[in-house]
Amino acid sequence: MIFQSIYETWRSLLDTLWKALGFEGKEGSLVVLGLDNAGKTTLLHRLRTGGDVRSFPPTDRPHQTEKFESQNIKFQAWDMGGHEAVRHLWEDYVCECSAVLFLIDAADTKRLEEASFELDALIGEKVVKGLPVAILLNKCDLEEEAMSTTEICKRIQYDDLRRMQGEDNISIFRISVLRGEGYQSAFRWIADFL
Amino acid sequence: MADQKVLKKRLKALMQQPSNQVCSDCPEKRPTWASLIVPPSDSPPGTEKIGSFCCLECSGSHRRLGVHISFVRSVNLDSWKEWEVRAMENGGNAKVNAIFEARLAQSGRKKPTNLADGPTRERYVRDKYERRKFYDPAGFSIDARSTASHDGQG
């Protein structure tokens, strides 16, 4: 009995210490945005199951994923539809979240301007102020089609976005959901904000 | 920018045609998604883009093909461009299937059911549009308007 209570005291003490050091108990809520067919649902599926990539029908209404873990942090995410008529909902969901992921199809040269327009509008919103925004350039596995980061930065006027959002609150990552590469560093970056 | 109301009206008119009231790739009724198909590089010169109406589930498979093969739009959730609507008028499910399913019967393959899972649909959609297993470019010469009036009688 005594041993047990000593053990429990120690354990809760250790738990407190562990949490104080920031090793445990961190949680984050995300909202995943971007044009239709950027790879939002597929990314979240991959994060949640760790496994196979498969095709998904377009997302027509927002839905919340089950919890998943990345960089030892528990995350919950809102998967938003990317089609034009549902983009007005983005703002409402950003309010509830601690970080924003914005996916861009790096291989779709024709729609980069449209993506840039939406990103610009988003960064201008009050609710996004102070939140970390990770821009994920997806489909970089398509080596021939995918544009370079330099080209994309120029075309989306990344310097202006940084100025508006604050340099420390925005970052850009090359990823491939298909290969399971690149988004880990984005999560590491987000983890520092939580 | 073209007037969305007018463009959507043209789309809705196309969706009234019986052949467009069934998904191009499965038996699902009243599809509200569209796939804009880039003509294969070896199709007759001057061949214009064509489009078909498909259901939500099948549109998911189309998206995996990549935009060099097909580009997915929602009738209700996206705004449309003039060339996109023209591609739908130039195509339609009867014509698209006359091209991409020309040899389906003789191949012995069956279309997926409307309850088929994702991988089954994707296999079929890839065989149909990417590997072109049932393809016959002769269908490109069909005048979509004449098939539409044929639909009307049937």
Side-chain angles (χ1 to χ4, degrees):
Chain A
M1 276 293 251
I2 288 174
F3 285 120
Q4 189 160 0
S5 89
I6 291 174
Y7 168 78
E8 303 250 306
T9 315
W10 264 108
R11 224 196 116 139
S12 79
L13 205 71
L14 275 174
D15 271 359
T16 317
L17 193 67
W18 199 246
K19 279 179 187 160
L21 289 170
F23 290 137
E24 208 192 317
K26 272 193 185 180
E27 288 197 18
S29 54
L30 305 170
V31 59
V32 186
L33 308 175
L35 301 188
D36 49 283
N37 205 24
K40 301 178 286 298
T41 306
T42 313
L43 169 66
L44 288 172
H45 177 78
R46 178 122 210 186
L47 284 162
R48 214 163 39 77
T49 65
D52 62 317
V53 168
R54 58 181 191 86
S55 59
F56 290 93
T59 307
D60 51 1
R61 61 184 72 110
H63 62 257
Q64 197 168 27
T65 63
E66 294 156 37
K67 282 196 175 150
F68 59 88
E69 224 177 274
S70 181
Q71 309 302 316
N72 293 321
I73 296 174
K74 284 198 182 72
F75 284 102
Q76 197 151 28
W78 280 102
D79 186 12
M80 305 295 293
H83 289 272
E84 200 175 319
V86 289
R87 288 179 202 157
H88 68 276
L89 296 171
W90 291 359
E91 200 189 322
D92 298 343
Y93 287 79
V94 169
C95 305
E96 298 183 8
C97 291
S98 39
V100 178
L101 299 181
F102 193 98
L103 268 77
I104 293 178
D105 180 346
D108 196 348
T109 44
K110 285 191 194 128
R111 298 187 72 200
L112 186 61
E113 199 184 332
E114 188 184 350
S116 170
F117 176 83
E118 294 297 343
L119 187 56
D120 219 47
L122 181 78
I123 298 294
E125 293 290 348
K126 265 200 195 115
V127 287
V128 185
K129 285 270 168 308
L131 285 185
V133 177
I135 302 171
L136 309 182
L137 310 178
N138 190 23
K139 309 195 190 179
C140 286
D141 48 274
L142 296 168
E143 280 155 22
E144 281 184 21
E145 291 92 343
M147 293 169 272
S148 70
T149 309
T150 320
E151 187 185 347
I152 294 178
C153 284
K154 203 168 126 193
R155 287 179 57 183
I156 64 173
Q157 295 170 306
Y158 185 57
D159 284 343
D160 287 349
L161 296 176
R162 286 183 71 182
R163 211 166 302 128
M164 285 164 75
Q165 186 64 11
E167 289 186 16
D168 299 333
N169 289 335
I170 190 164
S171 194
I172 199 159
F173 303 87
R174 284 182 88 75
I175 72 163
S176 163
V177 176
L178 186 71
R179 290 194 183 151
E181 292 168 358
Y183 48 81
Q184 296 83 353
S185 357
F187 276 85
R188 222 168 293 137
W189 180 73
I190 287 171
D192 287 342
F193 288 86
L194 303 174
Chain B
M1 205 168 100
D3 187 346
Q4 283 302 309
K5 264 192 193 151
V6 176
L7 293 173
K8 291 277 168 96
K9 219 171 174 179
R10 277 161 67 191
L11 282 175
K12 299 273 160 133
L14 286 172
M15 290 164 80
Q16 294 304 312
Q17 295 173 14
S19 59
N20 292 337
Q21 289 193 343
V22 179
C23 169
S24 54
D25 306 307
C26 85
E28 186 68 23
K29 293 213 173 77
R30 282 178 289 280
T32 59
W33 292 76
S35 170
L36 298 157
I37 301 152
V38 182
S41 53
D42 54 0
S43 34
T47 304
E48 284 178 59
K49 285 186 178 149
I50 52 175
S52 67
F53 292 96
C54 59
C55 69
L56 175 72
E57 291 293 330
C58 286
S59 79
S61 298
H62 277 264
R63 295 208 299 182
R64 280 299 298 271
L65 299 178
V67 288
H68 61 292
I69 298 178
S70 95
F71 177 47
V72 170
R73 300 276 76 195
S74 161
V75 172
N76 299 318
L77 300 179
D78 287 310
S79 57
W80 283 64
K81 299 197 175 80
E82 169 65 32
W83 75 263
E84 294 170 341
V85 176
R86 215 178 315 128
M88 299 307 292
E89 287 167 343
N90 183 38
N93 292 8
K95 181 166 170 177
V96 166
N97 284 343
I99 298 164
F100 288 95
E101 286 184 353
R103 296 173 205 283
L104 180 65
Q106 74 188 66
S107 77
R109 270 288 284 279
K110 290 250 161 31
K111 293 175 88 144
T113 68
N114 51 346
L115 300 171
D117 59 14
T120 309
R121 278 175 212 268
E122 190 178 327
R123 212 173 310 127
Y124 180 75
V125 166
R126 281 195 190 276
D127 282 344
K128 181 174 168 181
Y129 298 97
E130 188 179 58
R131 303 194 183 95
R132 288 189 267 146
K133 287 193 176 171
F134 327 117
Y135 176 74
D136 184 354
F140 274 114
S141 59
I142 294 172
D143 181 357
R145 260 164 248 138
S146 75
T147 52
S149 64
H150 175 77
D151 271 348
Q153 289 153 16

